[in-house]
Amino acid sequence: MREDKNSKTSQNQQDEKVQLQKKPWFWPAVYAGGALMLAGLLLGYNSLVSKVEEAPSPNVAEVDSGPVVETNAKTETMKYPFKEANLSKMQVSQEFYEVEANAESREKALMVFNQTFTTSSGITLAMNGEEFEVLAALSGKVKQVKLDAFTGNKIVIEHADGKETHYSSVKDIAVKEGDEVTQGQVLGKATDNEWNQTAGVSLHFEVLENGKYINPKKLLAF
């Protein structure tokens, strides 16, 4: 009897379930409930992600990137310290003194005053005794203007690439210390001086690279 009773009860529950599923609102209610559960899960996930993103990041040591280097800076090639149109008339009357040079070149690199010999740390340029305009061989900043009629007035220009150019035996100087000059700008005119009288009207041109004198002819085609 108990088994029959339990069987009837189970059958009645199954019938009620079937009847319930046949109700027109049953499946929409099931779908709506599922949608609410899914929305709840998504809301909880977004809240968790937001907390993670808001968490303070650990302190990271700042790295000094060092000075900013201008990589697109204009690179200049040294030009003659005179108008190129005068090149055919220009002469190197005194050479840069190099121990490795031949005897003739070394002799031409000696300057004499009162029977005292000194070696030339640049080249002396002359144009058949004529005056000529002295031009900046490179752009740069005037480091010094030294007025000395005996050895010849001197202009020193420093350049961004570490070079220095020296222009000696100059008159009518058109620049002063601190001036920014551009390549080819007129600095003055070549003249003579008492120290190197044999050179006559000329320009003594020197180039230093990292503080060391170098032969200007290595940078210029003579």
Side-chain angles (χ1 to χ4, degrees):
M1 292 293 294
R2 183 175 298 177
E3 291 180 359
D4 292 342
K5 185 177 181 179
N6 290 339
S7 177
K8 289 180 180 181
T9 301
S10 176
Q11 183 63 38
N12 289 336
Q13 291 177 346
Q14 186 69 24
D15 292 342
E16 290 176 358
K17 184 177 180 180
V18 171
Q19 292 298 324
L20 186 61
Q21 291 177 353
K22 290 181 178 180
K23 298 289 183 180
W25 49 263
F26 176 80
W27 290 113
V30 171
Y31 295 146
L36 288 174
M37 289 182 62
L38 181 60
L41 290 173
L42 290 174
L43 183 63
Y45 175 77
N46 289 335
S47 177
L48 178 61
V49 170
S50 298
K51 288 182 179 180
V52 171
E53 291 179 349
E54 292 173 0
S57 58
N59 293 330
V60 179
E62 294 184 0
V63 178
D64 185 3
S65 60
V68 177
V69 179
E70 189 178 354
T71 57
N72 61 341
K74 180 181 178 182
T75 302
E76 290 181 334
T77 300
M78 182 173 288
K79 292 186 177 181
Y80 298 108
F82 52 82
K83 290 182 179 178
E84 193 166 348
N86 294 330
L87 179 58
S88 61
K89 298 187 291 184
M90 198 64 62
Q91 300 170 339
V92 179
S93 59
Q94 286 178 320
E95 298 281 358
F96 177 84
Y97 186 85
E98 291 183 293
V99 177
E100 299 84 2
N102 58 44
E104 183 180 355
S105 295
R106 292 200 305 271
E107 185 177 349
K108 287 187 66 175
L110 294 176
M111 295 185 292
V112 184
F113 180 77
N114 285 344
Q115 298 182 342
T116 301
F117 290 86
T118 58
T119 56
S120 173
S121 52
I123 56 176
T124 301
L125 301 167
M127 195 173 69
N128 300 321
E130 300 176 27
E131 292 184 355
F132 57 90
E133 287 185 330
V134 176
L135 311 181
L138 292 168
S139 300
K141 183 176 182 179
V142 178
K143 181 179 180 181
Q144 181 186 28
V145 174
K146 182 181 179 181
L147 302 179
D148 190 333
F150 179 66
T151 58
N153 300 331
K154 183 177 184 178
I155 302 170
V156 177
I157 301 178
E158 54 186 358
H159 310 284
D161 61 358
K163 291 187 180 70
E164 277 188 8
T165 49
H166 296 187
Y167 311 77
S168 298
S169 192
V170 182
K171 70 174 186 178
D172 300 340
I173 294 176
V175 295
K176 64 182 183 300
E177 185 176 325
D179 283 355
E180 296 285 345
V181 298
T182 57
Q183 189 177 49
Q185 181 175 331
V186 176
L187 305 177
K189 290 183 178 180
T191 186
D192 54 5
N193 62 81
E194 296 181 34
W195 166 253
N196 194 15
Q197 294 180 359
T198 57
V201 176
S202 59
L203 168 70
H204 188 66
F205 180 59
E206 299 171 327
V207 179
L208 285 81
E209 190 169 53
N210 299 320
K212 183 180 179 181
Y213 288 97
I214 63 173
N215 190 345
K217 292 176 70 173
K218 293 182 177 179
L219 304 174
L220 299 169
F222 279 101

